[in-house]
Amino acid sequence: MSEFAKGEVWLVGAGPGDAGLLTLHAVEALRTADVEIQDALKSAKVLEYAAGAELVFLGKRGGKPSPKQPEINARLVAEAKAGRRVVRLKGGDPFMFGRGTEEVLALVAAGVKFRVVPGITAGIGGLAYAGIPVTSRDVNSSVIFLTGHDHTGLSPEGIDWAAVGHAAGMIVLYMAMRHMGEISDKLMAGGLSGDTPVAVVMRASMPEMRILDTTLARAAKDIEASGIGAPAIISIGRGNLLREQMAWL
Ligand code: SAH
């Protein structure tokens, strides 16, 4: 494993929550870091590894005032230039809807050395904790990952939902809880059956994990009635039915 040098930033994927899903590189980075700049709140178990580092919370959280991306980038650069070993801890994988690109480009522009430590993304590993395989040979051979809202907090305008509905056997939605009604309507208008199985997995891999099994037509109503909230990953497709046999937890 390469050494974590002073003045470097490691952009580390923390996985969906279960500390057992941290990579060896992630654990090494957390143990060695001088400062750990967090994204979303991580489980206490994950943070135990960073016991020796100063903890700074700088993250974006839907609907709440949060630091602007340029502020986060500037802080990463400043900490590195001060000669500290900086871990930027991101939920899941840094490049899956995680703004990892913006942060890396800011480091490049500032001439700061960095390393990327990929993590297990909620849309694959999180679903696996609910017994849902994102691909399987006989059911779905392709998968599409989408965000349910863009940086404005609205559902993304640029998405051709009819095309999405036909493109893949499994659709995995991040950050889609607030817009699930609208998204379901658009997918059904585009030709996807209202009976298509939907699973909503809240706090996947964590002790508080909750799973809702529903259908595209009922999803928004069932989500509201169940009280399930963010963070949740939503999977749409027949692969969800495998849960019945494959849920292992
Ligand atoms: N980079 C992250 C995703 C960041 S976007 C990753 O790779 O997983 C944040 C969204 O990810 C949440 O709104 C939710 O849709 C999803 N998410 C992250 N962690 C989750 C978890 N433990 N359980 C369910 N969904 C999760």
Side-chain angles (χ1 to χ4, degrees), residues 16 91-93 96-98 121-122 174-175 201-204 206 231-233:
D93 182 86
M96 189 65 108
F97 307 124
T121 190
Y174 291 71
M175 297 180 276
V201 186
M202 174 181 142
R203 294 190 164 271
M206 300 184 206
I233 199 89

Side-chain angles (χ1 to χ4, degrees), residues 15-18 39-40 90-99 119-124 126-127 147 149 173-177 201-206 209 229-234:
D18 180 350
D39 178 56
K90 318 278 290 181
D93 182 86
F95 293 147
M96 189 65 108
F97 307 124
R99 296 179 183 266
I120 292 179
T121 190
I124 299 178
L127 290 178
T147 168
H149 69 72
L173 295 169
Y174 291 71
M175 297 180 276
M177 294 295 273
V201 186
M202 174 181 142
R203 294 190 164 271
S205 86
M206 300 184 206
M209 178 165 87
I233 199 89
I234 300 175

Side-chain angles (χ1 to χ4, degrees), residues 35 37 40-41 67 135 143 159 183 185 204 207 213-214 216 224 228 240 242 245:
V35 56
I37 300 182
L41 293 172
T135 76
V143 56
I159 290 181
I183 292 169
D185 288 347
D213 294 296
T214 177
L216 198 55
E224 207 182 323
I228 278 187
N240 288 325
L242 288 162
Q245 293 140 275

Side-chain angles (χ1 to χ4, degrees), residues 16-90:
D18 180 350
L21 297 181
L22 288 167
T23 62
L24 295 177
H25 281 314
V27 169
E28 189 208 2
L30 288 169
R31 283 193 173 140
T32 319
D34 298 308
V35 56
E36 195 252 287
I37 300 182
Q38 273 195 67
D39 178 56
L41 293 172
K42 298 294 175 316
S43 72
K45 279 253 165 59
V46 169
L47 294 179
E48 270 173 28
Y49 289 104
E54 181 196 340
L55 280 188
V56 175
F57 179 77
L58 274 188
K60 303 216 157 234
R61 294 226 255 152
K64 303 207 179 104
S66 50
K68 299 262 179 304
Q69 193 64 44
E71 264 173 64
I72 298 170
N73 298 349
R75 181 70 178 263
L76 292 175
V77 169
E79 295 285 357
K81 296 236 156 153
R84 307 179 88 189
R85 285 174 286 238
V86 187
V87 162
R88 171 60 165 156
L89 193 64
K90 318 278 290 181

Side-chain angles (χ1 to χ4, degrees), residues 173-190:
L173 295 169
Y174 291 71
M175 297 180 276
M177 294 295 273
R178 264 188 290 162
H179 298 294
M180 195 50 197
E182 191 188 334
I183 292 169
S184 307
D185 288 347
K186 286 179 173 163
L187 286 171
M188 287 187 288

Side-chain angles (χ1 to χ4, degrees), residues 90-182:
K90 318 278 290 181
D93 182 86
F95 293 147
M96 189 65 108
F97 307 124
R99 296 179 183 266
T101 305
E102 287 97 314
E103 294 175 9
V104 166
L105 291 179
L107 298 173
V108 171
V112 171
K113 284 184 86 179
F114 66 92
R115 176 183 182 127
V116 176
V117 180
I120 292 179
T121 190
I124 299 178
L127 290 178
Y129 271 62
I132 300 167
V134 281
T135 76
S136 40
R137 197 176 60 177
D138 296 331
V139 182
N140 60 305
S141 54
S142 58
V143 56
I144 185 162
F145 298 101
L146 279 176
T147 168
H149 69 72
D150 60 17
H151 62 281
T152 62
L154 305 168
S155 66
E157 288 295 310
I159 290 181
D160 179 345
W161 291 101
V164 165
H166 295 113
M170 178 74 100
I171 303 166
V172 176
L173 295 169
Y174 291 71
M175 297 180 276
M177 294 295 273
R178 264 188 290 162
H179 298 294
M180 195 50 197
E182 191 188 334

